[in-house]
Amino acid sequence: MTVMLLVVAAPAAVMAAPASAITLCETPETENNWDLPGLPFTYICEYGYIEHSFQGRGHIFIVDQNSVPLHTWQTSINGPWYESWVGLGGEARSQIYPYNCTYQGRQCLRLEVVGTDGVWYCKWYDAYTVGYWWPSQNEWAYC
């Protein structure tokens, strides 16, 4: 089943304490010897700046100030970085958790995140189908 991350408001009677204020950070221009010129971006500090390696290339995941999951990556092993941040769709209420995985004998990248309704959502990147995200670039599936 494919779903978008939606904002779900709980009735006032069951809502917990009000949400705490978020802190905003800027992505560094260099990180762990990765040169990221032109890619600074504001993200939610509490969710972190997530670095991950998949098939020898660096990937960075953040959740921006509007709670949108974003991604950038090296375009080749030890090569330059993609020139911008790319949206992954939906809204997040957690950091993005990347994992390397195998599906039908092929390497894949799995992402997990908590949506605004408190449910875990996932998506997978299959490098062998020319950069294909499942269920899509902007959609997530229930984990």
Side-chain angles (χ1 to χ4, degrees), residues 27-28 30-31 36 43 45 47-51 60-62 85:
T27 57
T30 59
E31 183 70 20
L36 301 172
Y43 66 98
C45 300
Y47 298 162
Y49 178 91
I50 311 305
E51 301 171 31
I60 299 176
F61 300 93
I62 62 173
W85 292 95

Side-chain angles (χ1 to χ4, degrees), residues 118-132:
V119 174
W120 282 94
Y121 291 90
C122 298
K123 69 169 52 192
W124 294 263
Y125 177 80
D126 181 347
Y128 296 100
T129 23
V130 193
Y132 179 80

Side-chain angles (χ1 to χ4, degrees), residues 7-72:
V7 175
V8 178
V14 295
M15 291 188 82
S20 59
I22 60 170
T23 308
L24 299 179
C25 293
E26 292 289 323
T27 57
E29 289 188 16
T30 59
E31 183 70 20
N32 291 339
N33 299 317
W34 291 345
D35 187 19
L36 301 172
L39 287 179
F41 208 86
T42 303
Y43 66 98
I44 298 174
C45 300
E46 290 81 1
Y47 298 162
Y49 178 91
I50 311 305
E51 301 171 31
H52 188 76
S53 180
F54 175 64
Q55 295 185 322
R57 296 183 299 146
H59 293 259
I60 299 176
F61 300 93
I62 62 173
V63 177
D64 77 6
Q65 67 271 21
N66 297 312
S67 300
V68 176
L70 299 174
H71 171 226
T72 193

